[in-house]
Amino acid sequence: MSVSDRYRRIAEGQDLDGIMRAAIVTRRRADLDVRAAHEPASNAAEAQMVSIWCEVLGLDDVGVGDVFFELGGDSLHMTQVLARVRHRFGRDVPIEAFFDGPTVRHLARIIAGPATPAAEDGDLTHMLDLVEHVSTSALRDDTGADASPVAKAPASTGPVSAGPISADSGRTS
Amino acid sequence: MNDSAVRIDTFGVVTLRRPAALARCLTSYIVNAARHGRTLRCVVCDDAAAPQDRAACRDVARATAKVYGCAVQYIGLEEKLIVLRELIRTRDVPPDVVPFAFFDVERVGASDGGNRNVLLLETCAAPILMADDDTICMTRRPLGYRDAASARQTDEGERWDPSDVWMLGVGGDERDACRAESLDFFGEHERWLGRSIDAASTIRVTTNGTVGDCGWGSPSPFLFLRGSSLARLTASNDRYDDYTTSRRVVRAASRVTIAARTDDFMSGCFAVDARTMLPPFPPVGRGADRVFASLVAKCCARARWAHLPIVLPHRPHQPRTFWRGEITRSAAGIDLCTLLCALLDVIPPPAYASDAERLAWYGTHLEEIASPSTQAFEAAAVDAVRRTLAWQIDALEGALASRAARATQFRRDVRAYLAALRRTSARADLHVPLDLRGDWPAEEARAVIQRIVRRFGQLLTHWPRLLHLRREMLHDSHVLAGR
């Protein structure tokens, strides 16, 4: 069923679930208006995010401090918001961001901020592969001949030894 | 109380992909120490998986050492692998104990405990002050501060952090709850660390308060506040939502408070007397500090905690808030470290033993609990967690009965939390931590939990030996270096 069909059915009173949901959203909206002052978008990222939320939630307007879940947003809506953010901003927002702060303000701040590299799955896998490799080679190699990837440590780590792990960072003492 | 001769020359920082915060943190502690005639040996322990992230923090360590003329040792993946290799090559401990102690080998997703274990091993036998990279050494005194002559001890049975909490809300002024005061921060910790309280008790951990982000994983600790902290939270319905969503608090003891336990310990900044054995942190899972605290109480004979009336800013990289309604979220289940604490709590304490033997006692019991059939393990785990939740339910029912809890919104949240806790408590999969749900198929999550409990037990059993081996390695290398 297309979106326009759905709205037509709501308008004609055929989609009772939709009507109920719309009523709940309206009531929550009214509650929020009483409880929290409506805060309009104050920058471009917030304005874009407001627009995405309105599209996905079927609302006319939302405040930057409104809580997604209190506006009737659920996990499906969440994935729709994240897909549109990816499409419009070219940025991936992790789903945890929604739980850290399910507001327009929080998500817009993430979009507007520098891209922080998430713990790359590939890096973690590589790190754990190294751990396993070093562990098994330590048992195999009693001679101390270093076939382990430790030798690949960047030169800037400085000398390393079995003693104090002195990746000397310019120590003076 | 007797004076002690503890001197804290070592400062350890745990970091992860925050080079700017690391630079700010290192600088602030080094400058504070220098102002009071101290030269620190700094140790940066980095948990980053990506080479470029490690390179950034390595550069910060090097630049800081150059600018301030002090030793700044960087420990990243490469350095940890070297220690790992040497410890395994001794063949003195089971080979998979060391990787588990240092890394998130089960891929649970949070491994700051493993990072702290490396720090404990690398600085073993020395008193050390440890801090998170998002703390800043700018000293303040909390509201109602009283000097050392007013030091007090909590009741022997008291389990929780005796700190007071002042909620700041979004626009609150920090200066209403604490005031700047220039202090020899390391000296303040030295005054108490290692002190004998009576014939047998010694302060093994000193910790201080924070201002700024509360550092809590969820807002539920607000519901467990007591005394004057609870009175402040519930004084006004108008401020309640603001207080419970903003995350901004001052949390500190207003006078030196000696405690036998601190089960809800937060490890943002603390000093430990590691001249004798201290337990390891669980290497994975959020809240590893709580398990460490539980083990200190159980295994370190007559160890005491000193909560100092000092406040440092805690400034995470990105300002965070709780969302409205989040306060009941954590009642939906437990985290991995709550499971570990719950299991440790049901193990009967040993009668007479050394600290290392006590640790091995708890380790062996955890291994036994996690070794039999999955069904038996799960029955034991569910039972242990249910006991922990029963305690929480009792505490919240007590809060509802309290006259201090007047605010209707507080009472509404406590009731909602209680209802959610009771639902959670009835679940058959109660022992499956929330941190593992969702990311893993249910069966796999259950197997991982059982494995982690068993491996953590194994780590406890062998930890004293690891400390001993590392101490010998460090000693030998110093002897060689001195030739």
Side-chain angles (χ1 to χ4, degrees):
Chain A
M1 187 190 305
S2 71
V3 174
S4 57
D5 282 342
R6 181 132 178 271
Y7 282 129
R8 185 181 50 73
R9 287 189 57 180
I10 289 176
E12 291 171 4
Q14 295 171 33
D15 183 349
L16 289 178
D17 283 347
I19 292 168
M20 289 297 290
R21 205 157 39 237
I24 289 167
V25 168
T26 308
R27 198 176 65 223
R28 282 179 177 157
R29 178 72 258 180
D31 289 344
L32 283 175
D33 282 342
V34 172
R35 282 202 288 153
H38 177 81
E39 296 175 77
S42 61
N43 57 48
E46 286 183 354
Q48 285 268 30
M49 193 62 74
V50 165
S51 146
I52 291 173
W53 280 36
C54 288
E55 287 164 23
V56 170
L57 296 174
L59 297 172
D60 291 329
D61 194 13
V62 296
V64 296
D66 290 351
V67 176
F68 187 75
F69 305 106
E70 291 183 355
L71 296 175
D74 57 21
S75 58
L76 182 62
H77 294 127
M78 208 179 344
T79 55
Q80 290 170 340
V81 168
L82 295 178
R84 289 176 196 219
V85 166
R86 190 180 307 119
H87 178 69
R88 288 197 204 165
F89 293 91
R91 287 278 297 272
D92 274 316
V93 173
I95 203 150
E96 308 89 79
F98 248 107
F99 294 100
D100 290 346
T103 63
V104 163
R105 183 187 292 117
H106 181 74
L107 296 181
R109 196 182 290 140
I110 290 173
I111 296 294
T116 48
E120 293 285 339
D121 226 29
D123 289 326
L124 184 60
T125 301
H126 178 63
M127 179 168 93
L128 295 179
D129 284 349
L130 278 173
V131 170
E132 194 178 338
H133 181 96
V134 172
S135 302
T136 49
S137 70
L139 282 173
R140 207 173 44 232
D141 174 24
D142 266 346
T143 64
D146 199 344
S148 79
V150 174
K152 293 176 190 163
S156 63
T157 55
V160 284
S161 72
I165 33 184
S166 55
D168 192 318
S169 305
R171 68 167 58 185
T172 55
S173 60
Chain B
M1 297 183 199
N2 301 323
D3 283 335
S4 74
V6 166
R7 184 161 177 88
I8 306 172
D9 292 320
T10 308
F11 172 55
V13 190
V14 287
T15 192
L16 174 64
R17 292 190 285 126
R18 296 189 286 211
L22 175 63
R24 183 183 64 181
C25 170
L26 279 172
T27 301
S28 68
Y29 285 87
I30 290 170
V31 167
N32 179 282
R35 277 191 190 140
H36 297 91
R38 297 168 178 274
T39 306
L40 295 178
R41 170 203 174 206
C42 301
V43 184
V44 174
C45 236
D46 187 357
D47 208 19
Q52 65 273 20
D53 293 332
R54 291 197 298 279
C57 286
R58 201 184 299 272
D59 286 347
V60 166
R62 187 186 297 112
T64 308
K66 196 171 174 184
V67 169
Y68 294 101
C70 60
V72 182
Q73 185 180 351
Y74 172 84
I75 302 174
L77 172 64
E78 291 81 3
E79 292 78 16
K80 290 177 190 176
L81 288 176
I82 289 168
V83 181
L84 173 99
R85 176 170 168 270
E86 293 306 317
L87 287 170
I88 290 176
R89 286 180 66 202
T90 64
R91 296 171 187 269
D92 233 359
V93 289
D96 58 347
V97 166
V98 192
F100 179 76
F102 289 7
F103 298 102
D104 179 15
V105 290
E106 296 285 359
R107 306 188 73 141
V108 170
S111 53
D112 57 311
N115 215 16
R116 288 186 193 282
N117 286 342
V118 175
L119 204 47
L120 281 177
L121 277 177
E122 194 52 25
T123 56
C124 55
I128 175 173
L129 193 138
M130 292 192 199
D132 287 355
D133 61 6
D134 53 6
T135 61
I136 308 171
C137 191
M138 293 166 62
T139 52
R140 291 143 196 222
R141 289 292 195 195
L143 195 68
Y145 161 69
R146 291 162 72 180
D147 66 18
S150 309
R152 70 179 182 105
Q153 291 193 55
T154 61
D155 294 338
E156 189 76 18
E158 180 60 53
R159 298 172 61 167
W160 308 109
D161 186 333
S163 299
D164 277 322
V165 176
W166 290 265
M167 285 64 59
L168 297 173
V170 170
D173 190 336
E174 293 177 359
R175 288 170 299 186
D176 291 341
C178 59
R179 60 180 165 75
E181 186 171 323
S182 176
L183 296 169
D184 174 6
F185 183 66
F186 290 83
E188 292 287 324
H189 278 267
E190 281 173 357
R191 283 179 73 186
W192 296 94
L193 190 64
R195 262 199 188 192
S196 299
I197 301 302
D198 50 42
S201 307
T202 306
I203 295 173
R204 299 292 304 281
V205 186
T206 53
T207 182
N208 52 270
T210 56
V211 53
D213 187 271
C214 60
W216 298 336
S218 87
S220 61
F222 283 118
L223 302 181
F224 291 88
L225 292 179
R226 295 168 306 168
S228 54
S229 302
L230 176 61
R232 280 188 288 274
L233 175 70
T234 59
S236 151
N237 268 325
D238 295 341
R239 301 297 310 271
Y240 180 81
D241 270 353
D242 180 29
Y243 285 163
T244 53
T245 52
S246 89
R247 293 186 65 103
R248 293 181 66 233
V249 301
V250 172
R251 186 179 53 81
S254 53
R255 56 177 156 162
V256 174
T257 306
I258 313 294
R261 298 171 63 170
T262 305
D263 287 10
D264 49 348
F265 173 55
M266 292 183 66
S267 57
C269 181
F270 66 107
V272 289
D273 181 6
R275 289 175 298 177
T276 50
M277 190 211 73
L278 283 166
F281 287 78
V284 292
R286 300 196 189 285
D289 27 18
R290 284 183 282 123
V291 183
F292 172 79
S294 170
L295 286 168
V296 168
K298 291 179 194 318
C299 302
C300 300
R302 308 282 294 169
R304 291 291 181 267
W305 300 66
H307 296 263
L308 309 183
I310 309 171
V311 175
L312 297 187
H314 175 224
R315 304 263 189 266
H317 173 59
Q318 215 162 31
R320 295 175 289 189
T321 55
F322 294 123
W323 40 278
R324 280 195 299 273
E326 188 180 358
I327 204 155
T328 55
R329 177 174 57 83
S330 58
I334 58 158
D335 58 25
L336 176 62
C337 288
T338 301
L339 171 64
L340 292 174
C341 286
L343 288 170
L344 288 168
D345 279 347
V346 296
I347 296 170
Y352 298 100
S354 68
D355 290 0
E357 286 167 337
R358 284 169 192 264
L359 195 62
W361 169 274
Y362 284 98
T364 308
H365 274 76
L366 280 187
E367 284 188 79
E368 280 174 5
I369 290 171
S371 289
S373 72
T374 301
Q375 212 173 5
F377 165 71
E378 293 188 343
V382 166
D383 180 57
V385 174
R386 211 161 266 159
R387 289 187 201 199
T388 297
L389 296 193
W391 180 89
Q392 289 185 14
I393 288 170
D394 280 352
L396 289 176
E397 283 174 342
L400 272 183
S402 153
R403 275 192 299 170
R406 284 167 302 187
T408 50
Q409 295 186 54
F410 173 79
R411 301 180 73 81
R412 174 203 66 196
D413 283 347
V414 170
R415 286 199 186 97
Y417 199 89
L418 270 169
L421 266 187
R422 290 194 176 105
R423 279 196 302 275
T424 299
S425 193
R427 289 179 65 135
D429 63 349
L430 167 66
H431 68 295
V432 181
L434 290 173
D435 12 0
L436 273 79
R437 281 187 196 165
D439 289 345
W440 305 71
E443 281 309 306
E444 204 174 326
R446 296 160 101 111
V448 168
I449 296 157
Q450 190 168 356
R451 214 158 51 230
I452 288 175
V453 171
R454 185 178 53 74
R455 295 184 77 172
F456 186 54
Q458 202 180 20
L459 172 60
L460 297 189
T461 305
H462 295 282
W463 180 251
R465 187 69 193 146
L466 279 177
L467 282 171
H468 177 75
L469 289 170
R470 187 63 192 145
R471 196 171 296 177
E472 281 189 339
M473 285 176 190
L474 292 168
H475 178 261
D476 289 351
S477 82
H478 286 142
V479 170
L480 285 172
R483 280 181 185 167

